[in-house]
């Protein structure tokens, strides 16, 4: 039983946030002025247990989910994460296939955890890195975390076989634009796929302004001005990154253009926050309380029915509406913070 939403989109991907905590304080996501020492993160009993996450994921898989991405906060700060990976890696689609199981991380703890995660059944990782310049990166991550330690984490992930490894770079005008071409050069040399992400208006803490977005068109011009590239085909429906293949054969890069070229019509993604809220859009204002269903004695069949019913009425297309109705000015709608939703 694979439900379609109100706009005919299937449910293929699930992003699971395993914690709202993070060891970084990226200015565009969890700025330290807001998320300081006395910030009240979720108490433990409100965070889904591994058993609850596994049960929810199994129900999603029954409804057609083929890809699971573990995120956060910073997922590697959740204690004993490899155990959860082991549980999720054992899931199979209704026709017996393995899932595409991956994780997004800032890379800080990969040196320690890449091996255990791989052994537990993780297939690959995406690492976030916004610059190779320590001054730029340190200012963006909010804690002066050195580039070399992320690069070391990436080395550890490659050595552990967590491939193909992707790197995500959020580009903010006037902050790290100068890092675009050096990052592209580095990724080409290493043979990994770099994906540029347009700075998005998620949450309220980051004080987003449209003029800080470096558009996909500008990013493309910056990279292809140095290394010509041609469009590649999407790997599957709902792939968020526009793919570009270098003409000299040195691999590819991607651009995630959710602001200037929204891709809502192909969005097949649901999101589960650390406290068990189910969101059907990154820009959703409200989630459905899946934790309550997991904890109120409902059967697995009830759980599947709840998820299917939620998906069938889904009509979210925030990014397209933003473009249509506001021409990019910041719409004044309440939004959930990225760190809570998991990006
Ligand atoms: N801590 C992990 C990490 O650093 O990858 C996972 C969670 S993080 C919220 C997921 C991704 O969202 C990261 O690549 C981050 O750069 C991106 N992100 C956060 N806020 C963003 C924003 N306002 N616009 C675009 N991307 C953003």
């Amino acid at each position: 039983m694979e439900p379609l939403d109100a706009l005919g989109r299937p449910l293929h991907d699930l992003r699971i946030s395993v914690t709202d905590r993070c060891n970084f304080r990226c200015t565009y996501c969890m700025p330290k002025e807001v998320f300081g020492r006395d910030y009240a993160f979720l108490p433990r009993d409100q965070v889904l247990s591994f058993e609850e996450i596994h049960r929810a994921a199994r129900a999603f898989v029954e409804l057609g989910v083929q890809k699971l991405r573990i995120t956060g906060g910073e997922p590697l700060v959740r204690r004993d994460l490899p155990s959860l990976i082991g549980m999720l890696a054992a899931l199979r689609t209704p026709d017996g296939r393995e899932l595409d199981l991956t994780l997004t991380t800032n890379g800080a703890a990969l040196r320690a955890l890449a091996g255990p995660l791989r052994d537990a059944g993780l297939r690959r990782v995406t690492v976030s890195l916004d610059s190779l310049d320590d001054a730029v990166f340190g200012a963006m991550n909010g804690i002066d975390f050195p580039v070399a330690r992320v690069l070391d984490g990436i080395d550890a992930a490659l050595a552990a076989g967590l491939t193909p490894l992707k790197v995500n770079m959020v580009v903010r005008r006037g902050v790290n634009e100068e890092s675009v071409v050096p990052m592209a050069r580095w990724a080409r040399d290493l043979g990994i796929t770099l994906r540029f992400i347009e700075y998005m208006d998620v949450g309220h803490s980051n004080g987003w302004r449209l003029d800080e977005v470096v558009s996909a068109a500008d990013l493309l011009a910056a990279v292809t001005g140095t290394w010509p590239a041609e469009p590649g085909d999407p790997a599957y429906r709902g792939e968020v990154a526009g793919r570009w293949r270098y003409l000299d054969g040195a691999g590819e890069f991607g651009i995630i253009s959710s602001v200037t070229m929204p891709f809502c019509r192909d969005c097949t993604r649901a999101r589960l926050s650390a406290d068990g809220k189910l969101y059907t859009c990154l820009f959703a204002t409200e989630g459905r309380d899946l934790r309550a269903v997991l904890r109120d004695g409902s059967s697995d069949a009830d759980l599947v029915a709840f998820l299917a019913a939620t998906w069938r009425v889904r009509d979210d297309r925030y990014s397209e509406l933003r473009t249509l109705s506001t021409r990019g000015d910041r719409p004044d709608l309440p939004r959930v913070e990225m760190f809570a939703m998991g990006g």
Side-chain angles (χ1 to χ4, degrees):
M1 175 189 45
E2 293 201 7
L4 298 179
D5 74 6
L7 302 177
R9 299 167 295 189
L11 169 56
H12 281 168
D13 318 71
L14 175 64
R15 300 182 66 115
I16 303 172
S17 173
V18 293
T19 179
D20 61 336
R21 291 162 202 259
C22 188
N23 46 348
F24 283 17
R25 285 293 176 273
C26 298
T27 48
Y28 54 81
C29 189
M30 288 179 77
K32 57 176 175 265
E33 301 72 37
V34 180
F35 300 92
R37 270 186 209 294
D38 44 6
Y39 183 82
F41 286 98
L42 289 169
R44 184 190 285 226
D45 65 335
Q46 290 186 25
V47 175
L48 294 188
S49 68
F50 287 174
E51 288 70 26
E52 288 168 333
I53 292 173
H54 175 251
R55 186 170 167 231
R58 199 174 55 207
F60 274 105
V61 169
E62 221 173 286
L63 292 172
V65 162
Q66 301 159 3
K67 175 173 170 185
L68 297 180
R69 179 176 292 280
I70 306 304
T71 177
E74 169 50 40
L76 301 194
V77 306
R78 176 90 186 240
R79 190 177 311 167
D80 203 20
L81 188 69
S83 300
L84 175 67
I85 296 296
M87 293 161 76
L88 297 176
L91 292 172
R92 293 289 175 272
T93 64
D95 58 359
R97 281 176 297 126
E98 287 185 18
L99 301 177
D100 180 7
L101 178 58
T102 180
L103 176 149
T104 301
T105 173
N106 60 31
L110 270 179
R111 169 58 59 193
L113 284 170
L117 289 168
R118 173 74 211 187
D119 292 345
L122 189 69
R123 295 303 206 77
R124 56 193 182 87
V125 285
T126 298
V127 180
S128 303
L129 177 62
D130 297 331
S131 180
L132 295 169
D133 179 316
D134 261 324
V136 175
F137 183 55
M140 283 182 89
N141 66 47
I143 59 161
D144 278 327
F145 196 85
V147 173
R149 288 206 30 214
V150 178
L151 298 185
D152 183 54
I154 290 174
D155 281 349
L158 291 172
L162 290 170
T163 52
L165 186 145
K166 292 180 187 158
V167 170
N168 279 351
M169 171 182 181
V170 175
V171 187
R172 199 166 170 180
R173 189 170 300 286
V175 178
N176 65 337
E177 281 166 288
E178 303 295 312
S179 303
V180 167
V181 170
M183 283 281 290
R185 178 175 295 112
W186 165 79
R188 280 167 51 90
D189 290 349
L190 217 59
I192 58 185
T193 301
L194 176 63
R195 301 184 323 162
F196 301 102
I197 307 183
E198 285 182 345
Y199 174 45
M200 290 185 286
D201 53 332
V202 282
H204 288 283
S205 310
N206 61 13
W208 184 86
R209 295 200 330 257
L210 183 64
D211 59 10
E212 288 182 298
V213 178
V214 180
S215 69
D218 286 353
L219 290 165
L220 185 62
V223 178
T224 55
T226 311
W227 302 282
E230 63 184 5
D233 302 325
Y236 57 90
R237 179 182 180 189
E239 186 181 45
V240 293
R243 292 156 70 116
W244 295 87
R245 235 186 334 257
Y246 290 115
L247 293 185
D248 63 5
E252 58 176 72
F253 66 97
I255 305 181
I256 301 177
S257 55
S258 75
V259 178
T260 64
M261 286 185 277
F263 37 81
C264 303
R265 73 194 64 234
D266 278 335
C267 180
T268 56
R269 190 165 301 110
R271 300 179 144 86
L272 187 56
S273 65
D275 60 348
K277 295 255 169 37
L278 170 60
Y279 295 97
T280 53
C281 175
L282 177 55
F283 298 94
T285 50
E286 270 171 50
R288 296 204 66 192
D289 191 357
L290 188 60
R291 187 182 64 200
V293 183
L294 290 164
R295 294 186 180 176
D296 70 2
S298 295
S299 67
D300 286 351
D302 294 338
L303 179 60
V304 170
F306 174 87
L307 297 179
T310 303
W311 192 259
R312 284 200 181 95
V313 297
R314 173 189 191 243
D315 61 358
D316 308 87
R317 52 189 195 102
Y318 174 93
S319 296
E320 287 180 357
L321 295 176
R322 177 218 291 120
T323 310
L324 288 175
S325 69
T326 70
R327 298 186 197 287
D329 288 334
R330 185 179 182 179
D332 211 15
L333 289 168
R335 289 181 295 269
V336 167
E337 298 290 339
M338 186 76 137
F339 77 95
M341 180 100 75

